[in-house]
Amino acid sequence: MNFPKVLTDEHIRAAHEVYQDLSKQHEISIALVSGSLAFGLGHGTSDVDFYVRTVGDTPLEDRVHLRRGYAVQINPITDEKLAKAIEWAGDDSEFTSTNRRMLEVQDDVRKFAIRLTRGHVVHTDDEGRGLLDQLSVDVIRRRVIARQARDTGIHLEDATGALAAGDHDTAYWATRIALTHAIEAALAASDDLYVGRKFLLRRLKRVKALSDVQPQLLGALDVPWADAPAGLEESEEAERFGAAIQERTRLAAYVASAAVLDGWNESMSALAPPRTGTVGPIRDPFHCLMRFGDGIALTGPDKGFRVGEEAARLWFSLDGSRSLDDIGELGSSMRDGVAKLVEIGAAQR
């Protein structure tokens, strides 16, 4: 059976009917249809998520209305929830390397803010329109990139520690988690914003900017050892899991760092597959870029460094395809920059 994956006219008509009923009992400031259908991610049991803000003291009941064969789920917009959403998505000028509070905002706040930026507006009064206008997709994109890049780095560090202990199971899974965070960063950088890991593959497959790197990402997310026999020796585990761990690590750092560099100020238009050469310096795969409103950080296991954008792009460009002499021809500062990156362990000659 085929189910609608996007918001249709029938969904909107169903919501309008519910709005007409509610408006007889409440003064409504905002009425907006959003949710998975509005983001093109609907499935067979998707409700029509209807976000409603009322004016006055009469509480709005959180319930489902059946209209035109669809379940229209009322999601009351409270002033408290809306204020938290606007704080997170309205202005990121306060977000610096010393003020990272917004990185820890709960998923329900992020989900709520993102959903309010996309959907079909059934009704707003002047106050409601003004409140919705405070939510910025550009701010949200940067917020999500920053958080997902941070979490990519955290799990790459976990993988480093696991490998040092000979724990290939943990390293394998930590790099898989790191890669999912990196993909989330790249999706956000491409202006595909949503909160809900279950739709990760659908979103990855539909984003044109990631189409060239998509086959590698999908392959690296797979679990190839479901039939692995019990009791493998450590050397056998390393051989069996090593290639997958290495590929996930390389891709996670590359994808998250690309999002930080090319999706921060504007939507990322394309991401080429990573290259791995053997003739020159190459970035360390356990290092990753993250970003704040006041600069960029290059993070690695148990350490992090503030870097300028030129140094960050130099590090990102080190894919082993250019010799040190070729890089040196671009200027002595480039050669010195590579030497510094090698010195701090962020690159290898």
Side-chain angles (χ1 to χ4, degrees):
M1 182 180 295
N2 290 323
F3 295 98
K5 298 178 181 178
V6 298
L7 204 59
T8 66
D9 289 343
E10 278 298 289
H11 292 128
I12 293 170
R13 290 189 188 101
H16 267 280
E17 290 180 5
V18 174
Y19 164 72
Q20 294 294 338
D21 289 344
L22 292 177
S23 63
K24 296 173 184 176
Q25 308 167 43
H26 303 274
E27 182 181 350
I28 296 178
S29 173
I30 298 172
L32 178 144
V33 183
S34 190
S36 58
L37 288 166
F39 285 79
L41 297 168
H43 53 77
T45 59
S46 292
D47 294 334
V48 179
D49 285 304
F50 198 25
Y51 290 83
V52 180
R53 177 179 185 260
T54 60
V55 178
D57 298 328
T58 305
L60 181 66
E61 186 179 359
D62 179 358
R63 56 162 291 194
V64 174
H65 297 255
L66 295 177
R67 295 290 188 278
R68 297 177 175 261
Y70 295 113
V72 180
Q73 172 67 57
I74 300 298
N75 297 279
I77 300 175
T78 66
D79 288 346
E80 180 183 4
K81 287 174 62 177
L82 187 55
K84 288 180 179 179
I86 291 172
E87 182 184 22
W88 182 73
D91 179 15
D92 60 352
S93 59
E94 92 305 330
F95 179 53
T96 66
S97 57
T98 57
N99 182 6
R100 309 183 186 190
R101 184 171 60 90
M102 286 294 113
L103 284 175
E104 309 304 334
V105 166
Q106 294 179 341
D107 282 353
D108 61 341
V109 174
R110 299 189 300 124
K111 177 180 178 179
F112 181 62
I114 290 171
R115 287 191 170 199
L116 291 183
T117 64
R118 182 165 176 177
H120 178 86
V121 176
V122 173
H123 168 80
T124 61
D125 61 12
D126 289 343
E127 181 188 21
R129 182 72 265 167
L131 290 167
L132 291 179
D133 285 346
Q134 293 182 56
L135 300 167
S136 167
V137 171
D138 290 336
V139 169
I140 292 174
R141 184 180 67 247
R142 292 193 288 268
R143 295 284 201 204
V144 176
I145 290 170
R147 176 164 172 156
Q148 299 298 339
R150 188 274 309 265
D151 290 347
T152 300
I154 287 172
H155 287 90
L156 289 177
E157 182 174 343
D158 289 340
T160 304
L163 288 173
D167 181 358
H168 296 89
D169 288 325
T170 299
Y172 188 92
W173 207 247
T175 53
R176 189 177 194 275
I177 297 170
L179 184 56
T180 60
H181 285 298
I183 292 170
E184 289 279 13
L187 288 169
S190 307
D191 277 341
D192 192 303
L193 297 163
Y194 198 77
V195 175
R197 193 61 54 81
K198 63 187 176 185
F199 294 123
L200 186 73
L201 294 184
R202 280 178 65 178
R203 295 167 60 209
L204 174 59
K205 288 179 178 180
R206 74 183 183 183
V207 173
K208 185 177 180 181
L210 303 180
S211 59
D212 290 339
V213 75
Q214 181 204 105
Q216 287 176 270
L217 295 174
L218 292 175
L221 284 172
D222 195 14
V223 179
W225 81 89
D227 60 346
L232 289 177
E233 297 293 331
E234 184 175 325
S235 60
E236 295 175 301
E237 282 191 345
E239 181 178 355
R240 191 176 185 94
F241 304 159
I245 292 171
Q246 184 178 33
E247 177 69 357
R248 285 178 174 175
T249 302
R250 182 176 72 100
L251 280 171
Y254 173 78
V255 171
S257 298
V260 163
L261 289 174
D262 295 332
W264 193 260
N265 294 317
E266 59 186 7
S267 178
M268 184 169 67
S269 60
L271 178 60
R275 297 185 300 175
T276 304
T278 59
V279 299
I282 190 165
R283 59 185 175 272
D284 177 72
F286 291 98
H287 281 71
C288 183
L289 297 176
M290 65 178 298
R291 194 162 189 165
F292 311 96
D294 62 344
I296 301 173
L298 177 57
T299 65
D302 297 322
K303 57 189 175 183
F305 305 91
R306 289 288 297 271
V307 294
E309 184 156 347
E310 183 178 350
R313 290 191 179 277
L314 172 62
W315 172 83
F316 186 70
S317 74
L318 298 180
D319 57 13
S321 65
R322 296 180 299 168
S323 71
L324 191 57
D325 288 339
D326 289 339
I327 294 172
E329 289 180 1
L330 299 176
S332 60
S333 63
M334 291 295 182
R335 180 186 288 272
D336 292 344
V338 171
K340 182 63 176 177
L341 291 169
V342 171
E343 179 185 336
I344 65 176
Q348 299 142 15
R349 289 190 185 277

